[in-house]
Amino acid sequence: MKRTVLTYGGTQYTIANEDTETVQARIDSGLRDQPFMWLQVNYGDGRATPAVLLISPRDPGCDHHRA
């Protein structure tokens, strides 16, 4: 089973059934035309809780866009 683990604001979240390249492409695409986007993720071990993260190019919580 594919899943991507990402760290946002020091907390780990997961995205099920997507590899890292797919998630990165989705973020890049989402920010191409908009100043921000919402990313649906899961939080917690065992039975995961759905969560939504606000992603923007200058978001300090998103390691994906750090130089």
Side-chain angles (χ1 to χ4, degrees), residues 33-67:
D33 299 323
Q34 302 295 322
F36 65 89
M37 67 171 287
W38 295 100
L39 185 64
Q40 293 184 347
V41 298
N42 295 311
Y43 172 75
D45 294 325
R47 178 175 243 169
T49 301
V52 181
L53 304 177
L54 179 62
I55 307 295
S56 71
R58 293 196 170 107
D59 192 336
C62 183
D63 292 331
H64 174 71
H65 290 283
R66 286 192 181 161

